[in-house]
Amino acid sequence: MTLYWILKVVFGPLAMMVFRPWTRGRAGVPSQGALILAANHLSFVDWLLIPLVTPRRVTFLAKSEFFESPGVGGAFVRWLMRTTGQIPVHRAGGPEADRALDRAVDILGRGSAIGIFPEGTRSPDGRLYRGRTGVARLALETGATVVPVAVIGTARVLPIGKKVPRIHRVGVVFGQPRDYRQYGGNMEEGTLRTITDEIMHDLADSTGQPYCDAYAADFRLR
């Protein structure tokens, strides 16, 4: 048993008891085959919550800063990310970002599940922001099924800027699985944007978040 499953078996029941997550649509998540869980992003705990309520192992594409966090708390985060096999993504792009996507393609090619936050970063104000097209590229390149995943209430557990979590009930809504193989691997920018926008609008419907047609990272720099 890998450390991923050990942590899930040992700490999962405790987390379930404390945060009492509710779910909807979980029975519709494919039990096998390449799968992309595309989620909105409100809090650091999102990547912990989704695997907690998903029977399958989920490997997340996570920002590289989590693998470089300083201090004692940062050391724990680095250890957790690395030992559970998460994939660091350099959001500035370039060869490192391409390597992260290559690793994701390899995992999907083995029929496993990948988690991704199309917004690229946590929402700074609770709105749902425009999605990056990496999720569409992965779906088209691998033929993986995409399930939009709406996390609800996690910003109250651990808001941006806070280090100590608070106890608050959270929820996860699994949307209808989507298959994009009809595009035949067409990687044109218009196709990538159409697929990505469709996923984001699914998330907006499930979360009830107001949609902002701008990138969250750009908004946080203003």
Side-chain angles (χ1 to χ4, degrees), residues 128-208:
L128 184 72
Y129 282 82
R130 196 174 199 226
R132 305 281 182 176
T133 58
V135 60
R137 292 180 184 277
L138 286 176
L140 292 174
E141 185 167 349
T142 65
T145 298
V146 179
V147 173
V149 181
V151 293
I152 298 170
T154 54
R156 295 186 179 184
V157 175
L158 193 64
I160 294 176
K162 301 296 182 180
K163 296 183 178 180
V164 180
R166 297 176 293 188
I167 296 176
H168 187 278
R169 196 172 189 196
V170 294
V172 179
V173 178
F174 295 94
Q176 289 294 320
R178 290 191 173 274
D179 185 340
Y180 294 105
R181 286 177 293 182
Q182 72 268 24
Y183 287 100
N186 177 4
M187 292 286 185
E188 292 180 2
E189 188 60 34
T191 301
L192 297 174
R193 177 47 56 193
T194 295
I195 292 172
T196 304
D197 288 348
E198 184 177 85
I199 293 168
M200 301 312 293
H201 285 112
D202 281 348
L203 289 174
D205 288 342
S206 296
T207 65

Side-chain angles (χ1 to χ4, degrees), residues 7-23:
L7 290 172
K8 185 167 182 174
V9 170
V10 173
F11 295 107
L14 176 61
M16 293 287 283
M17 182 175 64
V18 171
F19 295 105
R20 300 176 296 123
W22 57 268
T23 64

